[in-house]
Amino acid sequence: MAAAIASFIGGTVSIILFTMFAPPLAVFALKFGPQEEFALMLLAFATFIGLGGDDIPKTIFSILLGLVLAAVGFDIISGQPRMIFFDMVEFQRGIGFLVLAIGIYGIGEMLWTLESTKGQIKMHNVKITWARMKENFGEIGQYINSTWVGSFIGFFVGTLPAAGATPAALMSYGLSKTFSKDPDSYGKGNISGVAAPEAANNAASTGSMLPMLTLGIPGSPTTAILLGGMIIWGLRPGPLLFQESPDFVWGLIGSMYVANVVTVLLNLALIPVFIRVLAMPFTLLTPIIFVLCVLGVFATTDRMFDTWIMLFIGVVGYLMRKLNYPVAPAVLAIVLGPLAERSMRQSLISSQGDITTFVTRPISLTCVLLALLLVSYPLIQRYTRKRKAAAATE
Amino acid sequence: MKFIKTLTVSALALSVSAPAAFAEWEPRKPVEFIIMAGTGGGADQIARLLQGLIEKKDLSSRPFIPINKPGGSGAEAMRYLQDKAGDNHTIMMTLNSFYTTPIIQPDLGVDVTQFTPIGLMAMDTFLLWVNSDRDDITDLDSYVAAVKGAGLDWKVGGTGSGQEDSVLTAMMEAAFDYKVTYIPFPGGGTVAKNLIGNQIDSTVNNPAEQMEFYRAGNSKPLVQFTTERMPAFPDVPTAKELGVDIEYFMQRSVNGPPGMDPEAVEFYVNLFGELFASQEWQDFCTSDGLTCENFMTGSDLGEFHKSNVVAHTALIEQVGASAITGE
């Protein structure tokens, strides 16, 4: 419910921004060189610190683990194989985001839930009534702020070529958790934690249309397919598209409005069907999840090797949860690690090794400062809390 | 003539060995159409156009799914294809890094002459581009002067060390006796965008990659590295005309993994042959400055790959592998 509404708001905000500001935003996207991209990644990593809760060293460990796994495969600049464990050629293809995410969130979570509930989990049969739906609509106020955060971050991150929806969703989750009044409730049923990434995800998919239409660079696999479709019909995305084919461009933008409305209606109408999954006993759900995890990885990578890696990572993920290490930062690091590495090395090559290149450009400087602020925010927050507590006991 | 003869002979030879199996083979699951470069680049645009045409013309009962594997200047894609030996449902859109990357990285363990040649779709080329804001650069001489003045501050964008644009950049460094800083990006489209955004100073992009920015007046070509001027760029001189002996072409061919079944090869050859002859493809070639005169296939394409590997080995030796990798 919240997901559907947040998604709708995120989508609508970003289409309105798109409609009004597409050409100036395209110019802004051009200002984003490697330095700015790296600074943005730094900002994204800074939002993770807030993600991991109070134990900052454990969060940093988790980020580093993700970065190490992301480095497996080919060096992205020189193309040399690196971090090939046990000299197995299978590692040359690297460890995909999907393999890691399914391992940690599929297998790892499953093991954790099995252990913590001893299989005795009770699912409730939720009844959907108009009264409940109405009540749900009334709860919008609880998550509207994180929905706005998600919508704007999603759109802007989405418009940058090669960033895409995943970093946008993760960043907005981290941000809305950092600035939440009650960060501990994230991941334990706080609806804002669903709303922020849902809004960002949808906003970013609209945002990623921008570099595709105005620069001819698809920011995501979906827009790459659209690009192919447009070339067949003789439309060449680029700076002239808005002038040469206005009927097509505005028709496309119009269709995005319609699609957004249709999606939210479908989502709301189908809630009673989706919710049936919750009524399924956990003993039945577990084997289904396991089969889907294995099948999912094999279907996308076509290798048993990746399936084994996924299962292994699942066990690691379970151990991390048991030892109270946050797992989300590791998943984020494997998505953003390669992007950050590439942009950092590009920047340093172009400045011939001069590290000040990140702070001498205005956009990049702003991002770096924001990142520093974000990293120090939890520390300041803890300090003020302690002082307040001390003041209260006196 | 020789080409047609070989084709007939090989067709005859094949028809004797497996008479009825021809044309009966069809994909039984979606075909992975690997692109050994990033999104928005020349190879990507071509592969996505071909994939769309396959669907539009209903040439295959199963879909072709384009997948970009740009890592390590195509190393990732080639390793992937090598691992798929004997698979009939994976094909790859290649460019010249198909030759250069395995030469520069012998550890990769890939021998491209072992891959199954399917069809040569086009010969592409490169032009030298600068941002149209650079009023001080109007021709090759003023370009060389500007680069020499800037020294290592001059930033050339490309698609990766060992990619054909880095070979061409090294060839230019040798010819004009200057040194530049070469910055690798994940694809030709991103390179083009960074030139327009003034993040880099010059590029050697394919015509298709810069075409829309060129038409919008954001970038300007200085030289083309072809034998003769392309119809799409009648006012841009060739390097040869200016007395510089650099000529460089890029092949755009479709290849399969080693050990594909001959029936499957036959299916793909027919399919891409039909696409090659289509009006849509020929129109794309004209507008984007590609040369699409004959559809080379089978052992001819295999020989073509072999001679290109030899030529690129010599070229890399001449400019030095270190000039390309920047080490």
Side-chain angles (χ1 to χ4, degrees):
Chain A
M1 182 80 185
I5 294 171
S7 237
F8 175 70
I9 295 179
T12 311
V13 165
S14 87
I15 301 168
I16 293 174
L17 287 174
F18 193 108
T19 314
M20 298 199 299
F21 303 115
L25 277 169
V27 176
F28 182 71
L30 282 177
K31 288 223 172 72
F32 257 72
Q35 285 89 341
E36 283 76 17
E37 269 167 36
F38 178 71
L40 186 78
M41 290 302 137
L42 208 62
L43 192 57
F45 279 111
T47 63
F48 301 177
I49 302 286
L51 267 185
D54 280 342
D55 203 335
I56 291 174
K58 280 187 174 172
T59 307
I60 292 176
F61 174 83
S62 178
I63 292 181
L64 293 179
L65 180 73
L67 287 178
V68 168
L69 292 179
V72 174
F74 291 108
D75 182 293
I76 44 185
I77 301 285
S78 75
Q80 300 293 332
R82 64 176 180 192
M83 309 260 318
I84 308 298
F85 299 119
F86 316 112
D87 282 331
M88 290 169 79
V89 281
E90 285 86 353
F91 276 111
Q92 285 194 355
R93 263 164 62 185
I95 296 170
F97 157 65
L98 210 73
V99 175
L100 187 82
I102 293 182
I104 285 184
Y105 286 120
I107 304 296
E109 281 292 312
M110 190 182 79
L111 290 175
W112 172 251
T113 317
L114 274 180
E115 185 190 300
S116 56
T117 62
K118 302 197 170 59
Q120 296 300 307
I121 202 162
K122 239 192 140 53
M123 290 293 175
H124 23 237
N125 204 349
V126 191
K127 284 263 176 346
I128 307 289
T129 58
W130 268 114
R132 264 194 72 93
M133 293 278 266
K134 254 196 207 153
E135 198 184 311
N136 264 324
F137 269 111
E139 285 166 6
I140 289 182
Q142 287 175 17
Y143 55 83
I144 193 74
N145 282 338
S146 42
T147 305
W148 292 128
V149 170
S151 306
F152 284 97
I153 292 195
F155 180 71
F156 284 108
V157 175
T159 56
L160 303 170
T166 316
L170 300 173
M171 268 176 87
S172 64
Y173 180 81
L175 260 190
S176 87
K177 185 175 175 185
T178 309
F179 290 105
S180 161
K181 287 192 194 84
D182 185 15
D184 292 337
S185 64
Y186 273 64
K188 292 172 192 141
N190 188 331
I191 203 74
S192 303
V194 178
E198 278 293 343
N201 188 9
N202 205 19
S205 57
T206 307
S208 67
M209 297 288 280
L210 192 109
M212 196 272 280
L213 289 176
T214 58
L215 302 172
I217 303 170
S220 65
T222 331
T223 46
I225 292 170
L226 279 173
L227 181 74
M230 289 170 68
I231 296 178
I232 298 175
W233 295 107
L235 294 157
R236 302 305 294 272
L240 295 179
L241 188 72
F242 274 71
Q243 287 138 46
E244 287 179 352
S245 320
D247 45 342
F248 169 78
V249 175
W250 296 110
L252 183 71
I253 293 174
S255 78
M256 294 198 264
Y257 281 99
V258 177
N260 226 344
V261 174
V262 172
T263 314
V264 75
L265 289 179
L266 270 181
N267 271 336
L268 293 180
L270 289 176
I271 284 178
V273 181
F274 294 145
I275 215 148
R276 290 266 146 212
V277 176
L278 286 183
M280 205 184 278
F282 197 70
T283 42
L284 204 64
L285 212 53
T286 314
I288 295 178
I289 294 174
F290 184 79
V291 169
L292 287 179
C293 286
V294 171
L295 263 184
V297 170
F298 187 76
T300 41
T301 63
D302 212 1
R303 284 202 306 180
M304 252 339 262
F305 181 77
D306 286 310
T307 316
W308 291 119
I309 294 279
M310 184 274 291
L311 291 174
F312 179 75
I313 288 173
V315 175
V316 173
Y318 159 72
L319 290 175
M320 280 173 74
R321 291 243 10 201
K322 212 170 152 77
L323 299 171
N324 264 326
Y325 281 90
V327 288
V331 177
L332 307 187
I334 208 168
V335 180
L336 297 183
L339 295 174
E341 185 194 347
R342 182 193 300 280
S343 54
M344 185 178 82
R345 290 175 64 181
Q346 283 170 340
S347 311
L348 289 176
I349 293 173
S350 79
S351 73
Q352 293 159 49
D354 184 2
I355 201 154
T356 57
T357 180
F358 296 113
V359 292
T360 48
R361 300 161 59 114
I363 301 177
S364 144
L365 176 67
T366 318
C367 289
V368 170
L369 289 179
L370 279 175
L372 287 176
L373 204 69
L374 267 178
V375 171
S376 48
Y377 185 77
L379 294 173
I380 299 169
Q381 211 180 19
R382 208 189 293 176
Y383 178 70
T384 48
R385 255 190 231 156
K386 261 188 195 157
R387 278 190 55 169
K388 262 189 204 154
T393 50
E394 264 168 24
Chain B
M1 268 325 278
K2 192 186 162 208
F3 162 61
I4 294 175
K5 206 168 140 194
T6 347
L7 196 71
T8 342
V9 171
S10 50
L12 274 174
L14 282 169
S15 62
V16 172
S17 59
F22 279 3
E24 280 177 14
W25 190 90
E26 264 192 67
R28 284 183 300 273
K29 58 177 190 177
V31 176
E32 284 186 27
F33 195 3
I34 308 296
I35 303 151
M36 57 184 299
T39 47
D44 185 56
Q45 289 187 17
I46 290 173
R48 289 181 192 279
L49 172 66
L50 291 173
Q51 179 257 338
L53 287 177
I54 292 170
E55 214 142 285
K56 188 176 161 194
K57 293 175 177 291
D58 206 10
L59 295 179
S60 166
S61 54
R62 294 282 182 276
F64 279 55
I65 302 169
I67 301 171
N68 296 83
K69 292 195 182 290
S73 297
E76 180 194 1
M78 285 193 276
R79 182 72 236 174
Y80 183 77
L81 203 64
Q82 177 88 39
D83 291 344
K84 287 266 180 171
D87 183 279
N88 288 335
H89 293 85
T90 309
I91 53 170
M92 181 159 85
M93 188 76 229
T94 67
L95 44 150
N96 280 13
S97 51
F98 188 60
Y99 311 127
T100 53
T101 301
I103 298 172
I104 291 171
Q105 288 180 49
D107 296 349
L108 195 59
V110 167
D111 178 7
V112 296
T113 56
Q114 296 300 309
F115 288 149
T116 308
I118 292 172
L120 178 69
M121 298 306 290
M123 291 299 279
D124 203 344
T125 184
F126 291 96
L127 286 88
L128 174 66
W129 301 86
V130 291
N131 192 307
S132 37
D133 293 348
R134 294 297 298 240
D135 293 326
D136 57 324
I137 299 176
T138 49
D139 55 11
L140 188 62
D141 289 337
S142 51
Y143 170 81
V144 173
V147 179
K148 283 190 169 159
L152 278 175
D153 286 333
W154 190 269
K155 298 187 278 275
V156 175
T159 52
S161 313
Q163 297 275 40
E164 52 297 318
D165 55 27
S166 71
V167 175
L168 191 52
T169 303
M171 284 162 81
M172 288 174 69
E173 282 182 328
F176 300 120
D177 189 32
Y178 60 59
K179 276 255 166 266
V180 295
T181 299
Y182 178 86
I183 304 172
F185 289 91
T190 321
V191 174
K193 175 227 145 196
N194 276 285
L195 181 72
I196 306 313
N198 271 322
Q199 310 294 343
I200 47 180
D201 300 305
S202 68
T203 68
V204 277
N205 270 123
N206 300 130
E209 293 165 349
Q210 280 284 358
M211 189 59 89
E212 289 308 296
F213 295 117
Y214 169 59
R215 290 206 305 126
N218 298 130
S219 64
K220 54 184 177 190
L222 299 173
V223 184
Q224 41 187 329
F225 299 101
T226 43
T227 322
E228 279 163 30
R229 293 187 185 193
M230 281 180 272
F233 298 95
D235 302 327
V236 182
T238 66
K240 284 237 158 115
E241 286 173 45
L242 299 172
V244 181
D245 189 22
I246 299 180
E247 211 183 289
Y248 194 74
F249 287 96
M250 173 135 94
Q251 58 94 12
R252 303 268 184 208
S253 69
V254 180
N255 297 274
M260 261 185 156
D261 289 337
E263 293 85 359
V265 176
E266 180 74 8
F267 169 83
Y268 291 116
V269 168
N270 287 339
L271 183 141
F272 284 102
E274 199 171 330
L275 288 176
F276 182 85
S278 72
Q279 192 58 44
E280 288 95 336
W281 177 250
Q282 291 297 333
D283 286 349
F284 178 80
C285 291
T286 316
S287 70
D288 284 66
L290 297 169
T291 312
C292 307
E293 274 159 11
N294 64 48
F295 181 66
M296 199 188 284
T297 180
S299 54
D300 280 357
L301 185 55
E303 286 302 319
F304 176 81
H305 287 331
K306 268 184 204 154
S307 64
N308 258 303
V309 170
V310 174
H312 278 90
T313 313
L315 201 60
I316 288 170
E317 236 163 60
Q318 184 195 329
V319 295
S322 60
I324 294 163
T325 53
E327 275 158 11

